[in-house]
């Protein structure tokens, strides 16, 4: 089955999957999104995605959107796809209005859900070890909001691809690593996993949340701590984390090998822990 | 005549003015724009707008777009509108591609031009004196690129409107004024106009460029200098500048009157100078 597309109350064919040029998502990036997936016929970590969506909507002054209804739409679109392993994309914009910076509260939000096979996306991931390039983080100061204002992300990501790497790892003005252009990032120093503390500088990544929990469960030391670029480059292990990548080893940073150039022991433990977590279907939100 | 809409090679009716959900402008804010105007049947300051557009396109790795062709399209759309005083909007996105962060160079850009009557927009401006509210600048570090990643701008602007003001004036982490959410800003201290130096923190505003030239022509002292919020709040005069606002007095900052609460002498000279400039039709780019 080709892509399933739900748009504003109905399922549509690709040629009808169009939005107005006056949609504020198009004109201003006045929109938030979530990218989800399924494993073997089941949507994964939905409560966590919905919780984050609720927060993003609230932060852009769209707390009036009923996320329970959105959840039903996502489930219907996913069922319709009949795909065991799907990539599910949701975008909600503030709606359609003749172009004007100021918005009003009476707009009808645009709701888009697409479901497609995740296999081609997964095929681009090298699970033996990816390369990353470091780049300055020039994004806005509210990266905790999952908005479609992604121009700096896609520029950094594409520059990394063009440079022969898989992803860009961003560092702030003080030289501390924040996160990757479209993923969370982790490194290991003396056996301890290090990752940027939650805050306005990074997205509250769901895979990051799982990694923190798995590390706690398995007795792997983990600290939420800002890491300088120098420490990051000298880490014994580096990992990327995202819904599609799960936990993925990074074996080259800026062209230089990480550790011995293969996935390290802590990375392998977290990768295995993540797989067990998926197999158990345990995606309940913990307190 | 209702709005004239040009989209990807043709003029379209409003109901056909739609773009694909896979347009990168919609998914990522992967787009740049210009907002222009005409006076009495003539497009204004076109060379300056096109020069800035060329720069924006280059900075987002779309330098391959032929801006001369875009200029012709703008002219055709404007002529078609038959509006003496029009607001002309141009947006160029990287094009349509199944959602993926990395872009390729082979995409066909989406080109949108809309032309509408500027009168309703002008009617919202109080030329006797506007109120502004100050707010933190949380935008990205490349505000010199006129991109559609405008979520922080529209949030700050709407919060100012909701607070009874007309516009938000933004200040950076060090407490220096940068610019307004959708306009340039100026203040006056001991007879000297002060405005933020050009750099990645602000848009190279065309009205700002005119103000700098008019001040030089008329012997009004002007310094490009960062101004702290405290100095800004105590300035004897404050102005906003934009294509629609031209030079517009600000008579209240955060609820407190500026100077004696009316447009000051320097503001009045710059307003008059701007009007003369428009009347002369002098919009050639100076070296």
């Amino acid at each position: 089955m080709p892509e399933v597309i739900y748009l504003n109350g109905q399922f549509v064919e690709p040629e009808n999957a169009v939005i107005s040029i006056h949609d504020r998502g198009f004109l201003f990036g006045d929109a938030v999104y979530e990218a989800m997936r399924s494993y073997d016929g089941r949507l994964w970590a939905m409560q966590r995605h919905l919780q984050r969506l609720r927060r993003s909507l609230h932060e852009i002054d769209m707390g009036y959107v009923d996320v329970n209804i959105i959840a039903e739409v996502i489930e219907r679109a996913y069922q319709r796809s009949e795909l065991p392993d799907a990539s599910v994309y949701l975008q909600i914009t503030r709606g359609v209005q003749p172009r004007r910076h100021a918005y009003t509260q009476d707009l009808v939000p645009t709701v888009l859900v697409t479901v497609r096979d995740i296999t081609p996306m997964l095929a681009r991931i090298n699970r033996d070890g990816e390369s990353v390039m470091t780049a300055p983080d020039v994004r806005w100061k509210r990266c905790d909001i999952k908005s479609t204002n992604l121009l700096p992300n896609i520029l950094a990501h594409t520059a990394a691809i063009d440079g022969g790497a898989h992803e860009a790892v961003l560092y702030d003005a003080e030289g501390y690593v924040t996160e990757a252009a479209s993923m969370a990032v982790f490194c290991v120093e003396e056996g301890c996993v290090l990752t940027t503390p939650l805050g306005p500088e990074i997205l509250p990544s769901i895979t990051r949340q799982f990694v923190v929990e798995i590390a706690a469960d398995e007795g792997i030391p983990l600290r939420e701590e800002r890491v300088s670029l120098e420490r990051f480059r000298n880490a014994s292990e580096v990992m990327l984390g995202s819904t599609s990548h799960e936990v993925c080893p990074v074996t080259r940073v800026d062209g230089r090998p990480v550790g011995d150039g293969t996935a390290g022991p802590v990375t392998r433990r977290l990768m295995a822990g993540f797989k067990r977590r998926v197999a158990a279907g345990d995606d309940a939100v913990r307190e």
Side-chain angles (χ1 to χ4, degrees), chain A:
Chain A
M1 168 157 225
E3 189 172 36
V4 167
I5 304 170
Y6 169 97
L7 182 62
N8 293 333
Q10 54 190 325
F11 291 97
V12 295
E13 294 304 308
E15 61 271 23
N16 297 324
V18 292
I19 57 145
S20 166
I21 58 156
H22 295 125
D23 194 289
R24 292 181 59 97
F26 181 68
L27 296 173
F28 299 112
D30 192 1
V32 294
Y33 75 105
E34 284 291 329
M36 297 149 284
R37 71 169 291 176
S38 68
Y39 286 99
D40 202 18
R42 281 190 59 195
L43 288 170
W44 169 246
M46 281 300 288
Q47 290 311 312
R48 296 176 193 245
H49 282 283
L50 295 172
Q51 193 175 67
R52 183 170 66 185
L53 174 67
R54 205 170 271 120
R55 184 178 178 284
S56 291
L57 286 165
H58 179 263
E59 294 297 313
I60 71 159
D61 207 11
M62 284 183 68
Y64 48 80
V65 173
D66 188 338
V67 170
N68 295 325
I69 293 177
I70 303 296
E72 284 170 30
V73 168
I74 292 170
E75 184 65 46
R76 277 172 58 207
Y78 175 59
Q79 293 305 330
R80 192 180 179 95
S81 78
E82 298 179 0
L83 288 165
D85 298 294
S87 167
V88 181
Y89 179 77
L90 163 75
Q91 182 168 332
I92 303 179
T93 87
R94 201 180 303 274
V96 175
Q97 184 187 31
R99 189 177 188 279
R100 181 180 175 182
H101 281 242
Y103 56 81
T104 49
Q105 296 275 349
D106 56 355
L107 303 178
V108 178
T110 297
V111 178
L112 169 70
V113 178
T114 66
V115 185
R116 53 179 168 153
D117 186 6
I118 199 172
T119 317
M121 212 177 294
L122 300 182
R124 289 197 290 268
I125 303 170
N126 181 354
R127 302 218 180 260
D128 292 332
E130 289 289 10
S131 297
V132 298
M133 257 175 64
T134 59
D137 191 343
V138 299
R139 299 175 304 164
W140 70 323
K141 292 183 180 162
R142 292 300 310 275
C143 291
D144 55 318
I145 301 173
K146 200 164 171 74
S147 90
T148 59
N149 278 220
L150 292 170
L151 184 54
N153 306 64
I154 63 106
L155 290 175
H157 178 73
T158 307
I161 302 278
D162 289 348
H166 179 72
E167 171 63 312
V169 168
L170 307 175
Y171 55 87
D172 67 18
E174 294 174 294
Y176 290 98
V177 168
T178 53
E179 61 187 330
S182 66
M183 295 184 232
V185 72
F186 311 88
C187 66
V188 178
E189 210 176 56
E190 295 173 5
C192 180
V193 181
L194 302 171
T195 194
T196 312
L198 292 181
E201 305 81 16
I202 63 166
L203 184 77
S205 154
I206 286 162
T207 305
R208 177 190 179 287
Q209 199 177 49
F210 278 122
V211 166
V212 169
E213 293 175 9
I214 292 163
D217 288 352
E218 313 226 345
I220 300 168
L222 180 146
R223 284 204 311 273
E224 299 183 64
E225 177 180 311
R226 298 206 302 168
V227 172
S228 71
L229 201 50
E230 194 194 340
R231 283 174 67 192
F232 181 77
R233 284 183 174 141
N234 291 306
S236 59
E237 302 180 40
V238 172
M239 288 160 261
L240 293 170
S242 80
T243 292
S244 54
H245 286 66
E246 304 173 337
V247 176
C248 181
V250 171
T251 50
R252 294 189 91 82
V253 173
D254 292 329
R256 289 173 48 205
V258 178
D260 68 1
T262 65
V266 177
T267 302
R268 289 196 308 265
R269 282 182 71 189
L270 286 171
M271 289 170 81
F274 194 91
K275 288 218 172 298
R276 279 194 296 278
R277 192 68 177 260
V278 170
D282 170 12
D283 63 351
V285 178
R286 298 192 190 179
E287 284 309 306

